[in-house]
Amino acid sequence: MFPFLSANTVTTKLIESIDWNQHELGGAENWPPCLKISLGIVSNSLHPMFIWWGENHIQFYNDEYIKTFGKEKHPMAMGQKGEECWPEIWPVVHPQIKEVLKNKTPNWYKDQKLSVVVEGKFIDTYWSYGYTPILNESGEVQGIMVMCHDTTEGVKAKKSVHKPKHQLNQFMENSPVGISVMSGPKLIYKSINPAFLELLGCGKKSIDLIGKSVREVFPELHGHGFFEILEDVYRTGIPFIGSKHKLSILTPEGEMRDLFINFSYLPRINSRGRITGIISYIYEVTDQVNEQKELEIIANNLKEAILSRDNFLGVASHELNTPITTIKLQTQMHKKYLVKNGISAEEDPKVHRMLDNTLSQINRIARLVEDMLDVARINAGKLAIKKTEADLSMLLEDTLERFSHQLEAAGCTIDMNIEKDIRVNVDAGRIEQVVSNLITNVIKYAPGRPVHVKLIKGMTKIRMTVEDEGKGIAPQNTERIFGRFERASINTDVGGMGLGLYISRQIVLDHGGLIYVDSPPGKGARFNIELPKFRY
């Protein structure tokens, strides 16, 4: 499953041990090629490298990078969100990440100071590292590859100075993240930075909190689980990371204030390996949570609006179907009446032409109504597929013959390469519907150009292609056009509701097949349909 990784390495075995199907990235078989290629580069490198992937900056790293971790981070860091793994340096590196994502260009940082927690202690380190954007086939940034080098010793040698003893306090004073240091099993506050006081101090000064236990300082948090989590971290030495937790604190005015926080509890470990306390990091995410709730409300409203639209289309289509059928039947009867009474097309061409035009428009409306009915059936999971044995070669030839007059009127010559006697079990009517949709699109979007139709039988599948020589489809639209009410271009004057390809894909999928489009810029579009060769 991971042939792109270096064999027999610690990190390869770690990646293989993770149940990615339960992870937000999903199974490795569905990972994009650009991620697999990048992982192969990192895995086989003898230099410390890692990857931040996706919106949540999911982490991957190689064996050389393990040496940079403390006991708190590896192996938990593999597959972890970057912000959760590195809360102490996130305010520094996150703006750098966003700059690379925005500009799509690599950046290099030389001797960057990063104060990290290793074995429960703050340690100042210096790194030279480069961020390289990982682009997908469409040129969009999907992640960042990082190559890094620890320059701490070199920087120290150049400066030739000792680190001041109060460096930890300086870091805490300047950090935008709320930081507190607690000591002993009762978790007595020993140090608190200004950001912590601003967020949770409720107007108090650090002197009012130092020397008191967390339970004494925040009695209003009793029953919320925070005390129990802290005590568990102290007892087990296992860090805890909380995301978007609701917190109610007492304000200086005596009122309760609700907010949402991200926080991390890391054990402090002395030189003998004993746990002596806890370091906590905390910052408010109330605005982000509220924005997310608003987006969820908007998304639900849109979902309900789409459902109402689909229900309306389904009901309207059913109601329109009967009168359209009646009008079509009456028009056909009028034509027969004229012929029966000796009024032929030669004698009164104008009347016959008007009736023919009327029938043509009625058929067009009937197709649109049938498309809307199919959409309603798809949404309800009731699109009927009735398979019988059919000659796919003959079906394709007959369908193209029915379109011969329309193709000729559009100035489209047809080139057919159809292998004979390909027999399969399909719903012949539905497959004909798919072919008709593709030929109709050729007439709409590539008039006056040749169309090439091919049907061949391979070792494991049957492949049908319909290819035109029109303007083609932009790369960013090759997947979008298979959606509901989507068309190749929103600026085109070509009519249609944008349902044909959506329905066609569902029909092909229900046959166990695939439908997709290849469209090199300026060289037309080739629609490919693949059906299983075996009978099902």
Side-chain angles (χ1 to χ4, degrees):
M1 185 179 293
F2 300 92
F4 46 89
L5 298 179
S6 177
N8 299 322
T9 66
V10 173
T11 48
T12 292
K13 293 177 182 178
L14 178 56
I15 291 173
E16 291 173 343
S17 69
I18 296 174
D19 184 3
W20 294 103
N21 289 315
Q22 302 301 318
H23 193 277
E24 68 178 75
L25 290 186
E29 67 273 11
N30 295 321
W31 291 356
C34 55
L35 173 57
K36 294 180 179 179
I37 293 171
S38 301
L39 283 173
I41 295 172
V42 169
S43 176
N44 286 280
S45 176
L46 298 178
H47 203 84
M49 295 183 69
F50 69 98
I51 289 172
W52 276 318
W53 185 260
E55 294 181 354
N56 289 323
H57 312 303
I58 302 301
Q59 297 187 145
F60 295 91
Y61 50 92
N62 62 4
D63 283 19
E64 290 299 316
Y65 194 78
I66 295 177
K67 301 173 184 178
T68 69
F69 281 132
K71 296 179 181 178
E72 299 91 345
K73 299 185 186 295
H74 174 75
M76 185 173 62
M78 187 68 76
Q80 190 180 24
K81 296 177 182 178
E83 184 178 5
E84 294 179 355
C85 181
W86 299 105
E88 67 269 34
I89 64 171
W90 203 246
V92 176
V93 300
H94 191 224
Q96 298 172 350
I97 293 171
K98 290 197 292 186
E99 182 180 4
V100 174
L101 295 176
K102 177 182 178 181
N103 298 330
K104 297 184 179 181
T105 56
N107 275 353
W108 178 258
Y109 303 92
K110 184 177 180 180
D111 296 334
Q112 173 72 55
K113 179 181 176 181
L114 296 174
S115 296
V116 299
V117 174
V118 178
E119 297 182 356
K121 300 178 182 179
F122 280 102
I123 296 179
D124 281 347
T125 61
Y126 294 84
W127 291 84
S128 291
Y129 52 90
Y131 289 163
T132 302
I134 301 173
L135 308 179
N136 64 10
E137 296 84 350
S138 301
E140 299 170 334
V141 181
Q142 301 296 298
I144 295 176
M145 183 184 296
V146 183
M147 178 177 287
C148 51
H149 176 63
D150 187 351
T151 61
T152 303
E153 292 184 4
V155 172
K156 287 181 178 180
K158 289 178 182 178
K159 291 185 176 181
S160 299
V161 293
H162 297 289
K163 297 296 180 182
K165 294 181 180 180
H166 59 278
Q167 185 173 12
L168 173 60
N169 292 331
Q170 288 181 332
F171 168 75
M172 290 179 62
E173 286 291 319
N174 297 323
S175 175
V177 177
I179 303 175
S180 67
V181 179
M182 293 164 275
S183 180
K186 291 186 178 181
L187 301 174
I188 304 298
Y189 280 113
K190 294 297 182 181
S191 181
I192 296 171
N193 76 341
F196 183 94
L197 286 171
E198 182 179 356
L199 182 60
L200 300 179
C202 305
K204 300 177 183 178
K205 299 180 180 180
S206 61
I207 194 172
D208 299 323
L209 280 64
I210 300 301
K212 295 180 181 179
S213 72
V214 65
R215 288 182 179 268
E216 291 178 287
V217 174
F218 298 108
E220 65 269 26
L221 296 185
H222 179 75
H224 288 257
F226 289 97
F227 300 147
E228 291 77 10
I229 294 172
L230 280 166
E231 291 163 358
D232 191 58
V233 172
Y234 185 87
R235 179 178 56 85
T236 65
I238 300 174
F240 183 88
I241 298 170
S243 177
K244 299 177 182 177
H245 278 245
K246 185 177 181 180
L247 180 66
S248 299
I249 60 173
L250 187 64
T251 67
E253 294 77 21
E255 300 177 352
M256 297 302 296
R257 178 195 171 207
D258 291 336
L259 64 156
F260 290 88
I261 60 170
N262 286 355
F263 63 97
S264 301
Y265 295 151
L266 304 179
R268 295 176 61 204
I269 303 174
N270 64 16
S271 58
R272 298 180 180 179
R274 296 180 59 184
I275 299 172
T276 61
I278 291 176
I279 300 175
S280 76
Y281 306 90
I282 181 172
Y283 56 97
E284 186 174 2
V285 291
T286 304
D287 290 341
Q288 295 93 314
V289 171
N290 290 336
E291 289 174 2
Q292 182 178 351
K293 289 181 178 179
E294 291 177 3
L295 289 174
E296 289 174 353
I297 292 172
I298 293 172
N300 288 333
N301 291 339
L302 287 173
K303 188 175 181 180
E304 292 176 2
I306 291 172
L307 180 61
S308 298
R309 179 200 66 188
D310 291 343
N311 289 337
F312 168 76
L313 289 176
V315 172
S317 301
H318 279 289
E319 293 298 323
L320 288 170
N321 207 27
T322 299
I324 288 173
T325 303
T326 302
I327 295 171
K328 181 177 180 180
L329 181 61
Q330 289 177 347
T331 305
Q332 291 171 336
M333 291 176 64
H334 288 159
K335 283 201 67 174
K336 292 181 179 180
Y337 178 81
L338 291 176
V339 174
K340 183 178 180 180
N341 285 273
I343 305 175
S344 65
E346 291 77 12
E347 295 177 355
D348 198 337
K350 184 176 181 180
V351 173
H352 281 272
R353 187 165 55 253
M354 290 173 60
L355 290 175
D356 287 338
N357 288 337
T358 300
L359 278 173
S360 176
Q361 293 302 314
I362 291 172
N363 287 332
R364 180 173 178 272
I365 295 172
R367 285 194 299 271
L368 292 175
V369 170
E370 187 60 32
D371 281 348
M372 290 192 292
L373 282 171
D374 278 341
V375 170
R377 293 172 187 132
I378 291 171
N379 292 337
K382 297 180 179 179
L383 184 67
I385 301 293
K386 300 178 182 178
K387 300 174 187 175
T388 58
E389 186 174 353
D391 187 329
L392 194 57
S393 307
M394 185 175 296
L395 184 151
L396 182 56
E397 290 175 346
D398 290 346
T399 304
L400 295 174
E401 176 63 26
R402 282 194 290 275
F403 274 91
S404 59
H405 295 300
Q406 297 179 50
L407 288 166
E408 183 179 355
C412 298
T413 59
I414 186 164
D415 170 38
M416 292 188 294
N417 181 7
I418 300 175
E419 188 175 330
K420 298 295 184 181
D421 196 30
I422 297 180
R423 305 190 67 83
V424 288
N425 283 354
V426 296
D427 186 325
R430 288 297 186 183
I431 296 299
E432 179 183 345
Q433 183 179 354
V434 173
V435 177
S436 297
N437 284 334
L438 297 181
I439 297 299
T440 300
N441 283 345
V442 169
I443 294 172
K444 287 181 181 179
Y445 293 101
R449 302 294 183 89
V451 56
H452 311 276
V453 180
K454 182 185 293 186
L455 179 66
I456 57 175
K457 180 167 60 176
M459 293 294 294
T460 60
K461 57 191 175 185
I462 295 165
R463 184 170 183 177
M464 180 193 310
T465 60
V466 177
E467 182 176 3
D468 63 55
E469 297 182 12
K471 296 181 180 180
I473 301 169
Q476 65 269 24
N477 294 329
T478 54
E479 181 63 26
R480 180 184 62 81
I481 59 174
F482 289 98
R484 282 183 299 178
F485 304 104
E486 296 285 359
R487 298 193 299 171
S489 173
I490 60 175
N491 298 320
T492 183
D493 294 329
V494 177
M497 295 183 66
L499 294 175
L501 291 178
Y502 170 72
I503 295 169
S504 296
R505 168 167 280 188
Q506 190 61 50
I507 291 172
V508 174
L509 289 176
D510 285 351
H511 279 80
L514 293 174
I515 180 172
Y516 56 95
V517 62
D518 298 318
S519 185
K523 295 184 179 181
R526 182 177 68 240
F527 284 86
N528 307 275
I529 299 172
E530 295 179 359
L531 297 172
K533 181 181 177 182
F534 57 84
R535 297 181 179 180
Y536 44 88

